[in-house]
Amino acid sequence: MPGSFRAAGRSAARGHLSWLNEAGSRIGTTLDLQRTAREFAEFAVPALSDGAAVDLLESVLGGEEGERWMGPDLPAMRAMAVALIDDLTSLEPERVGEVTSQDAFIGVQCIMTRRPILIGRIRPEEFVRIAPTKSGAVQLRKLGVHSYMVVPLIARGVLLGAADFIRGPGRPPFTPTDLALAVELASKAAVFVDNARLYGREREHVVSLQRSLLPRAVPQTPGLDVSTCYTPTADPGGVGGDWFDVIALPGGRTALVVGDVMAHGLPAAATMGRLRTVARALIALDLAPDRMLDRMDMVARDLEEDQVATCLIAVHDPADASYTLACAGHLPPLLMSVDGTVDYVDVPAGAPLGAGVVPYDPVRLAAPPGSRLILFTDGLVKTRTEDIDVQMERLLHHVAGMAPDGLDAEALSAFGPVAHPRLDEAALIVAATRPSVTDPDVRVWPLPHDGTAAGIARELVRERLGHWQLTELTDVTELVVSELVGNALRYGGGPGHLRLLRHDRLVVEVTDTGPDLPQIQHSGLTDEGGRGLQLVNMLCRRWGACRTTSGKLVWAEQDIPDMSPAGAHPPGS
């Protein structure tokens, strides 16, 4: 007889070990805190108990270190999971997601002492010390719950929460063996909970870094209404490398940039920040989009992380309602035409940044008023199960079905794979073109290629500033335009066009066919020339030059006095 007892004991021990081993594959299947807690509770029911509840500390839910708690007050806790057999579904546990009551004395004692508690047979006066409310205590007693235990969740020496277990009619009371099993199970589950906490904290850090590196606000630029959106993925491993940027350029032009570092996590976010900084610096030099990508490729090749990235740049010019685009291995943008038709823009794909395959080919695209250009990263269309071409086609039909007035980045960010969570983060830019060629804030005039050009340019500027009620800027602007036209006559084969643009600043631009960009010269006391650009530099907020397909463009920008609502002039004035 004693031998049979020993054999039964060994069999029970093997069963317990097998059950605990199974917990390793049934709990912690994801790195989501709530799902991990639910898997823990559901695994315990009905194998160990008829009901189980898991409560976690608020600090754990915030990704913090949990509580190394030794104080007199109970830390704030929140109900995360409840599992019950069918006969006990009318019980009144704490509702999942709500802050737990601190009136249940036995649970408080477990947290305070960090030790498990077993009540083999619940005495009548103990129900109110177990249930969160008096009515809950009545239900416990009414349904025949007779045995209770609570164990702390501790991982790596940090208190994470607690788990409660109950048994009802038809089950024997909990025994010290059951308590030992519950402690062992809670120890395993606590590690999974802590892993989820650490992973969630890493995700929050990466998302915070990512958001801090993205633009905080979109500048108002002539001819465009721009909306942007960044949507992180629920998977911490999918966050880190996507970015967008909207940059106001001289002459009322706007640069739209989206990019995607082909990696994830903190290294990808750091690389993204470097590339975005480089892109802003290069665009400030008025480099064309294709030349920008050439330079960014060189920078990407020098990064220690040896990472590559895709990038798409579109520069909008309100004077002729056009975009100039260049692409480095990125997905093509979508264009919604004025009549509502939608199609992908045919942009040469190019090689990703860091691959060392240059040059990149620019494309010029007409953007009539009412059209919309959509730039996005592959997180918007990427799935684990479908080919990206299928998702691209779905996106095209989805955009075609949207009303133009309702097409913005926030609305479009809701697009995603059917019945699946987003696999990767997504960055979006939707740019709607407003009337610009006929806009009274932009004026473009051709200039003759002879000595009369400067006088004609001064007269045009004087007349237009009078219409705009900006006569206080007339003297400086006439001097600036004379210098720019004079330089075009001397060094550029004669001026091409004069453009005057008013938005939050006043910009003068003169084009010519000369290849060399102007630079400020150090003039001596006896030199008769070379001081024109020095004067422009002193009188204007800033000035610059960039190459065009036919030569170059030189611009100068001034602040407009009193741009408050009371002092601003209507565009049609």
Side-chain angles (χ1 to χ4, degrees):
M1 196 68 158
S4 63
F5 277 121
R6 286 195 296 270
R10 287 195 296 271
S11 178
R14 286 195 297 270
H16 293 159
L17 288 175
S18 176
W19 181 71
L20 289 172
N21 287 335
E22 186 182 356
S25 60
R26 295 270 300 276
I27 304 174
T29 59
T30 69
L31 289 167
D32 178 80
L33 270 175
Q34 186 164 1
R35 182 167 176 178
T36 300
R38 186 171 67 248
E39 290 170 346
F40 173 26
E42 291 174 349
F43 183 77
V45 177
L48 177 64
S49 63
D50 294 332
V54 179
D55 302 329
L56 297 180
L57 298 173
E58 286 281 75
S59 56
V60 172
L61 299 178
E64 299 175 12
E65 288 294 337
E67 294 284 346
R68 299 182 183 276
W69 178 80
M70 299 298 291
D73 299 323
L74 184 68
M77 299 182 69
R78 191 172 295 272
M80 295 299 294
V82 174
L84 298 166
I85 62 173
D86 292 341
D87 292 342
L88 298 182
T89 54
S90 59
L91 288 177
E92 299 178 9
E94 299 280 9
R95 296 183 62 179
V96 172
E98 294 187 353
V99 176
T100 60
S101 169
Q102 298 187 13
D103 296 334
F105 175 76
I106 295 178
V108 172
Q109 186 179 352
C110 171
I111 294 296
M112 291 177 65
T113 61
R114 299 163 66 104
R115 294 179 179 176
I117 297 174
L118 168 66
I119 300 179
R121 288 287 185 183
I122 304 176
R123 295 190 296 270
E125 68 274 11
E126 289 178 322
F127 284 101
V128 293
R129 300 170 59 201
I130 294 172
T133 62
K134 290 183 178 180
S135 61
V138 172
Q139 281 295 105
L140 281 175
R141 190 170 183 179
K142 179 180 177 181
L143 292 174
V145 173
H146 59 80
S147 193
Y148 171 80
M149 58 184 177
V150 56
V151 298
L153 296 176
I154 301 173
R156 304 175 178 97
V158 177
L159 178 66
L160 304 174
D164 301 79
F165 305 92
I166 58 173
R167 280 184 180 174
R171 295 284 295 270
F174 289 121
T175 65
T177 299
D178 295 322
L179 183 63
L181 277 175
V183 170
E184 187 65 27
L185 178 63
S187 177
K188 285 179 173 290
V191 173
F192 295 125
V193 169
D194 199 40
N195 288 342
R197 173 187 68 85
L198 294 172
Y199 209 39
R201 184 176 67 178
E202 179 186 352
R203 177 182 183 275
E204 289 302 315
H205 288 173
V206 174
V207 170
S208 297
L209 175 62
Q210 177 87 340
R211 291 192 183 279
S212 69
L213 294 173
L214 295 175
R216 297 179 180 272
V218 176
Q220 297 295 320
T221 56
L224 281 187
D225 288 322
V226 181
S227 62
T228 61
C229 184
Y230 168 75
T231 306
T233 174
D235 181 5
V239 179
D242 290 23
W243 88 89
F244 68 85
D245 216 339
V246 181
I247 309 167
L249 301 177
R253 291 171 296 128
T254 307
L256 310 174
V257 185
V258 292
D260 183 3
V261 177
M262 294 182 182
H264 298 99
L266 286 171
T271 299
M272 177 272 287
R274 295 177 185 179
L275 291 177
R276 177 174 175 253
T277 301
V278 170
R280 290 188 70 91
L282 293 174
I283 203 71
L285 296 175
D286 257 344
L287 293 183
D290 53 312
R291 298 188 65 208
M292 274 186 61
L293 293 179
D294 290 344
R295 299 292 181 88
M296 291 177 69
D297 174 77
M298 296 178 65
V299 172
R301 277 184 271 172
D302 287 339
L303 293 178
E304 295 178 0
E305 292 83 357
D306 194 27
Q307 294 173 337
V308 297
T310 65
C311 188
L312 175 65
I313 303 173
V315 175
H316 176 258
D317 192 336
D320 57 5
S322 70
Y323 285 104
T324 301
L325 300 97
C327 180
H330 202 84
L331 295 178
L334 274 168
L335 178 68
M336 175 180 277
S337 302
V338 180
D339 60 3
T341 59
V342 181
D343 205 353
Y344 287 102
V345 180
D346 187 13
V347 184
L353 303 176
V357 181
V358 294
Y360 298 96
D361 298 320
V363 168
R364 196 167 180 82
L365 173 69
S371 62
R372 285 166 170 78
L373 187 69
I374 302 164
L375 292 75
F376 58 94
T377 57
D378 62 1
L380 189 66
V381 293
K382 186 188 296 184
T383 70
R384 295 187 188 277
T385 57
E386 292 184 320
D387 188 83
I388 194 167
D389 291 336
V390 175
Q391 284 294 99
M392 293 277 283
E393 190 68 20
R394 279 191 61 232
L395 177 63
L396 188 148
H397 291 299
H398 179 79
V399 173
M402 299 179 70
D405 292 343
L407 177 56
D408 60 24
E410 193 70 32
L412 190 55
S413 67
F415 175 84
V418 178
H420 292 285
R422 189 179 298 283
L423 177 64
D424 200 355
E425 60 186 343
L428 273 164
I429 298 177
V430 177
T433 310
R434 296 195 310 267
S436 56
V437 175
T438 59
D439 192 327
D441 282 14
V442 181
R443 284 293 181 270
V444 182
W445 302 278
L447 294 176
H449 298 296
D450 54 35
T452 64
I456 293 173
R458 286 193 297 270
E459 183 177 349
L460 291 170
V461 164
R462 188 185 313 114
E463 179 184 359
R464 179 45 46 186
L465 292 182
H467 279 292
W468 285 344
Q469 300 180 25
L470 294 176
T471 54
E472 62 268 43
L473 298 179
T474 301
D475 292 342
V476 171
T477 308
E478 285 188 19
L479 190 153
V480 169
V481 77
S482 294
E483 177 58 30
L484 298 187
V485 171
N487 275 345
L489 286 168
R490 285 190 293 271
Y491 310 114
H497 288 82
L498 165 67
R499 180 160 76 167
L500 194 66
L501 183 140
R502 178 189 67 168
H503 50 112
D504 56 336
R505 296 174 188 143
L506 182 70
V507 182
V508 177
E509 294 182 354
V510 175
T511 64
D512 61 53
T513 57
D516 297 327
L517 300 181
Q519 294 182 351
I520 294 179
Q521 303 296 325
H522 295 282
S523 302
L525 294 177
T526 59
D527 292 341
E528 296 183 359
R531 296 185 179 85
L533 286 180
Q534 294 180 7
L535 193 59
V536 171
N537 187 58
M538 288 188 294
L539 294 174
C540 296
R541 178 187 178 91
R542 56 179 183 164
W543 72 278
C546 63
R547 289 187 172 86
T548 65
T549 55
S550 58
K552 66 174 178 292
L553 179 150
V554 186
W555 56 270
E557 184 179 88
Q558 301 176 67
D559 287 323
I560 295 178
D562 191 12
M563 285 302 293
S564 64
H569 305 298
S573 60

